[in-house]
Amino acid sequence: MVVPHPGRLVRILGLGALLLAVAVGLGLFLVRRAPEERPADVPPDPRLAYAGPFRNVAPSVRYVPEERCADCHADKARSFAEHPMGRSLLPANQMPPLPEDARHDNPFEALASRFQVVHEAGRVWHRRALLDPAGRPLVEQAWPVDYAIGSGLHGFSYLSDRDGYLFQTPISWYSQKEVWGLSPGFGPSHAAGRAVLPECLFCHANRADHIDGSVNRYARPAFNGHAIGCQRCHGPGEVHVAAREKPVPDVGVPDLTIVNPRHLERSPRDAVCEQCHLGGDVRVTRRGRGLYDFRPGLPLDEFWAVFVRAAGTAEGQKAVGHVEQMYQSRCFRRSDGPTALGCVSCHDPHEHVAPAQRVAHYRARCLQCHQQRGCSVPMAERVRQSPQDSCVDCHMPRYGASDIPHTASTDHRILRGGKAAPRDDELAAPAGGLPIVAFYRDRKGAGGGEDERDLGVALVKLTLEGKAPAARVTGPALPLLDAAVRRAPDDLAAGEARGYALGLRSLSAEALAAFEAVLARAPEREASLIGAASMAEALEKTEAALSYWRRAVAANPWAADARRRLALLLVKKRAWDEASAECEAWVRIDPFSAEARASSVVCLLAAGRKDEARAEFARLEALAPENLAELRARFEKKLK
C-alpha cells in the first residue's frame, strides 16, 4: 500500500478539491430531505417541537411571494428596499451604474495581467488579459456578469452563471475607496473563478435553489427572490396572509400568525440576526437540518453549530465578526430584561441610517441607557476627539477588516477605556488545546454525541481551509467522526469529513473506503468523488482513479481542478485521444494555467501536430511560469 505524506495529500487533493470538500462534505450543508424522509434517529425537528405562540414556525407553513408582504406593508417595503439587506443581490439588468474609467482603477493590474470591466453585446463582462508589447491580448479570459452581490455599502462582488454553475468573478467594486480591484481572497488558484457555495448565498440571497450533492450547481431559476426578503426575519407568511384575507381578519394583538422579533426574548430575537451576522470561523449545519430550515423564534444553535477561535488564537478582525464582538461588550453582558441590549437596540432592520444621520441616530441609541449617567469625559475633550461629539467614533472605532481589502468595519465591542469585557470562560484554554470552541458553548447541547460530531466536522473543515495544521486537529477529530458514522451511517457530511481526515493522516486505503461508503448512498456527490479519486490515485489504483475523476468532471464540467487531475492522469497513461480532449477543455476553463498549456503541448506533440504545439508553447512562454527554464529544456528539441 502506498501511503502519502500529509503534505503530498494536500498536493493530491489540490486547492480546488479542498474548497469542494469544505463546501459539500464538511457540514456547510447536508443533503436536503423532506422532514418525513429523515431517518428516525435524527434529532427531533425543532420546528415540530416548538411550543411557543407563533403559528408560522412549523415546516408545513409555506413561504409566499415577497410581493404579498408589500400589499399591506407598503411603507415598510419601501424603506426596506433602501436598506443594505434589501439590496443584497441584484440581477445584472438592475445593477447600479458605477464609474469604469482609469481614475477608478479600470483597468487594473493584478496576477501579472490586466483586469477590466467592459460592456459588449448588451452585457457586462469581466475580462482578464495578458498583453504583448503592442497591447494585443496573448492570453485572455472573460466572465459574463449575471448578478451583483452585496448592497454597495462596502462594495459589490459579481456572479457568473455557467450553465447553472455559479462562480464569483475575480473583479469587485470597493465603495469606500471607489476603486475596482481583485475580489477578496482571490489568488492564482481562483483565477478560473471561485465556486459560489450555497452557504455563501444564504446571507446574500433570499433563497437559492441549490442542487443537492453538487458544489455550486443551482436550479433554473437559481433564486427564489433576489435580495433578502421579509420572511427571512419574520418566517413564512402563508398563515399570516390567509388570516388577513378572511372577511373578518383572524388575528389578535400581538399578531401570532407571523413572528415579530420585537415580541421575542433577547436570545431568539438576536438569533434572527445571527443566522447571517454570526459567521464564526467555522459553521456546520447540524445533522438532519437543511440550509433554510431555521425559523425565526427558534434557537439558532439547534440548526447551526458555530465555532469561533479559542482564546489566544484570534487572528485579524473580520468584516462579519460583529456578533462575536458584541458578546464581549459590557453593555451586552451586563444588561437583561425587556431592554437588554441586542442587535435591534441600535439597528432598525427596516431602515438604513444615512451617513448624515449617523452621529445623531447612534447617540440617541446610546442615551436610551446612558441618559442618566452620561459620559465621564469632559465635553471639551470629547469635541477634540470627535468634532460632532460622536459616541460611536470613540467607543466603536472603525478598523481595517482582515478578510476584505479597501474596507473598514466597526468594532462592536463597545470599548470603554480601550478594553472589552471577556466572556466568563474566554481566558480558559479549551479542552485538548483545540483552536476552536463552540460559540454557543454555554447552552444546552443537542446530546447523543451530536455536539461531538459537529466539532469533528468543524475541525476537519478548519484544516482543509488552511486555518489549522492537520497534525494538530485530525487526531482529535477522527474518534468523534468514527462515533458519528457508527451512530448514523447515512450522515454524509460526517462520513465525508472522516474520509478527508483519514487522508490527511496518510491512511489512504481507509480514506478511500470512507468516500466509497458515502458514494454508495450519493453516487454523484462531488466532494466525495474528488476524495475517492485522490485516494485511488495515491494508492496507484489508476483505473479506479480515472473512473472517479471522469465522474467528478461529469458532475461539474466547469471544475478546473477535477479537469486538471483527469487530464494529468490520462497524459501519464498516454491515453492520447482522451487526454487531448481533456487538456483542451482544461485550457478553455483556465487559460492562464501554465500547467494546462504544458500538458496540451505534450498531447499535440504526441499527435504529431508540431505547429500547433509551437503556438501553444509560445503562449506558455508568455505566461512566464516559475519553471519556464525547465519547460524550455524539456520541449526545446521536440519543438524544432
Side-chain angles (χ1 to χ4, degrees):
M1 180 175 67
V2 177
V3 181
H5 185 274
R8 170 168 161 71
L9 177 70
V10 172
R11 293 194 294 274
I12 288 171
L13 294 176
L15 181 57
L18 298 184
L19 294 177
L20 298 184
V22 168
V24 183
L26 304 183
L28 294 181
F29 52 91
L30 295 169
V31 173
R32 290 172 286 167
R33 307 182 182 93
E36 62 273 16
E37 296 174 332
R38 289 173 174 157
D41 66 337
V42 169
D45 189 333
R47 297 170 299 176
L48 295 173
Y50 175 70
F54 292 103
R55 293 163 49 193
N56 69 326
V57 174
S60 58
V61 181
R62 293 176 296 183
Y63 292 90
V64 299
E66 290 294 325
E67 295 77 15
R68 299 301 306 275
C69 303
D71 290 344
C72 296
H73 305 282
D75 56 337
K76 295 293 186 184
R78 280 193 299 270
S79 62
F80 182 74
E82 298 302 316
H83 192 281
M85 286 191 296
R87 297 180 284 118
S88 58
L89 179 73
L90 296 170
N93 60 5
Q94 296 179 23
M95 295 188 307
L98 295 169
E100 296 175 1
D101 54 11
R103 290 195 311 113
H104 297 86
D105 290 356
N106 185 46
F108 64 89
E109 302 293 322
L111 303 179
S113 52
R114 185 187 70 179
F115 290 83
Q116 188 171 15
V117 181
V118 299
H119 294 260
E120 187 175 293
R123 297 194 69 176
V124 178
W125 294 78
H126 287 175
R127 293 191 178 277
R128 180 187 182 189
L130 178 65
L131 306 178
D132 66 12
R136 295 180 297 244
L138 292 169
V139 180
E140 59 183 336
Q141 187 171 13
W143 298 263
V145 173
D146 295 292
Y147 301 97
I149 193 165
S151 67
L153 184 64
H154 295 296
F156 292 104
S157 286
Y158 298 88
L159 307 183
S160 184
D161 185 333
R162 296 176 173 177
D163 302 325
Y165 298 85
L166 291 183
F167 290 86
Q168 182 187 8
T169 76
I171 299 178
S172 289
W173 169 258
Y174 296 93
S175 298
Q176 292 179 4
K177 291 192 175 181
E178 296 190 336
V179 295
W180 296 95
L182 206 61
S183 295
F186 258 76
S189 60
H190 302 119
R194 176 186 281 150
V196 178
L197 314 181
E199 197 214 27
C200 298
L201 292 176
F202 179 78
C203 294
H204 290 283
N206 192 41
R207 284 189 300 279
D209 194 357
H210 172 253
I211 293 177
D212 295 334
S214 75
V215 171
N216 63 323
R217 188 181 180 191
Y218 298 82
R220 299 292 184 88
F223 301 106
N224 183 348
H226 292 112
I228 297 296
C230 306
Q231 295 166 92
R232 287 294 295 276
C233 298
H234 295 280
E238 180 186 33
V239 173
H240 180 66
V241 169
R244 290 288 183 178
E245 287 180 340
K246 290 183 177 180
V248 178
D250 180 21
V251 295
V253 179
D255 181 358
L256 300 179
T257 63
I258 197 162
V259 172
N260 185 337
R262 180 175 58 185
H263 300 309
L264 298 173
E265 295 181 358
R266 180 169 72 173
S267 181
R269 185 185 72 211
D270 285 347
V272 175
C273 306
E274 289 168 9
Q275 63 176 308
C276 286
H277 292 277
L278 175 59
D281 277 83
V282 188
R283 282 173 61 130
V284 173
T285 311
R286 310 214 74 163
R287 186 167 69 94
R289 305 290 169 253
L291 190 62
Y292 292 96
D293 281 357
F294 170 74
R295 292 290 184 272
L298 293 174
L300 185 66
D301 55 297
E302 294 188 355
F303 298 87
W304 293 89
V306 183
F307 295 87
V308 296
R309 284 281 168 176
T313 62
E315 298 175 349
Q317 290 176 303
K318 300 178 297 181
V320 291
H322 294 158
V323 172
E324 298 98 306
Q325 294 168 3
M326 184 179 69
Y327 271 66
Q328 296 179 47
S329 77
R330 287 181 172 86
C331 292
F332 178 85
R333 294 179 60 75
R334 296 182 182 179
S335 63
D336 55 23
T339 61
L341 179 70
C343 303
V344 295
S345 300
C346 301
H347 299 285
D348 184 341
H350 297 108
E351 294 189 28
H352 176 54
V353 179
Q357 303 166 324
R358 177 175 174 269
V359 172
H361 173 86
Y362 290 113
R363 181 192 290 116
R365 292 296 187 270
C366 295
L367 291 178
Q368 288 180 90
C369 297
H370 294 279
Q371 183 72 59
Q372 300 300 321
R373 295 179 60 183
C375 183
S376 61
V377 179
M379 175 63 76
E381 185 176 340
R382 299 206 307 264
V383 172
R384 279 198 301 273
Q385 294 180 14
S386 171
Q388 295 180 292
D389 188 22
S390 168
C391 302
V392 295
D393 284 353
C394 180
H395 296 282
M396 303 178 68
R398 298 178 74 79
Y399 62 90
S402 63
D403 52 343
I404 301 180
H406 310 301
T407 299
S409 193
T410 305
D411 193 326
H412 276 57
R413 292 177 296 170
I414 316 179
L415 302 173
R416 181 184 180 188
K419 296 181 179 179
R423 295 185 64 159
D424 295 339
D425 54 356
E426 190 176 37
L427 299 180
L434 297 176
I436 54 174
V437 293
F439 182 78
Y440 295 117
R441 55 195 178 275
D442 55 342
R443 300 186 188 177
K444 182 181 178 182
E450 295 301 322
D451 291 342
E452 290 78 10
R453 173 262 190 196
D454 296 337
L455 176 60
V457 172
L459 288 170
V460 177
K461 180 179 184 295
L462 194 76
T463 301
L464 292 177
E465 289 184 331
K467 296 179 180 178
R472 181 180 178 189
V473 300
T474 53
L478 265 174
L480 304 178
L481 295 169
D482 288 342
V485 173
R486 283 195 303 270
R487 186 172 60 253
D490 62 344
D491 185 349
L492 303 184
E496 206 165 65
R498 180 172 174 269
Y500 277 99
L502 288 164
L504 287 165
R505 292 186 69 80
S506 303
L507 300 171
S508 303
E510 293 88 339
L512 177 58
F515 289 124
E516 288 176 336
V518 174
L519 291 170
R521 297 176 180 274
E524 297 182 1
R525 192 172 171 96
E526 277 185 66
S528 284
L529 286 170
I530 289 169
S534 299
M535 294 301 96
E537 195 171 341
L539 294 165
E540 297 184 351
K541 296 183 176 183
T542 302
E543 293 306 317
L546 282 171
S547 175
Y548 284 125
W549 284 126
R550 291 184 185 113
R551 288 167 62 183
V553 166
N556 189 344
W558 291 97
D561 193 75
R563 186 79 67 169
R564 165 186 173 269
R565 299 300 301 280
L566 175 58
L568 291 176
L569 196 55
L570 289 167
V571 168
K572 182 179 179 180
K573 193 184 175 187
R574 298 177 178 269
W576 297 120
D577 289 344
E578 188 180 359
S580 179
E582 292 301 331
C583 285
E584 288 178 11
W586 181 12
V587 169
R588 284 196 302 271
I589 294 170
D590 192 2
F592 282 81
S593 169
E595 188 180 22
R597 294 194 179 275
S599 299
S600 185
V601 170
V602 172
C603 291
L604 290 167
L605 287 171
R609 297 155 62 184
K610 188 171 288 189
D611 288 343
E612 294 173 67
R614 291 192 189 101
E616 187 64 89
F617 191 77
R619 288 186 283 269
L620 171 59
E621 287 184 302
L623 292 170
E626 292 182 358
N627 64 337
L628 181 57
E630 176 187 335
L631 291 170
R632 282 173 172 162
R634 176 184 176 189
F635 290 114
E636 184 177 11
K637 292 182 179 180
K638 297 177 181 180
L639 291 170
K640 285 185 178 178

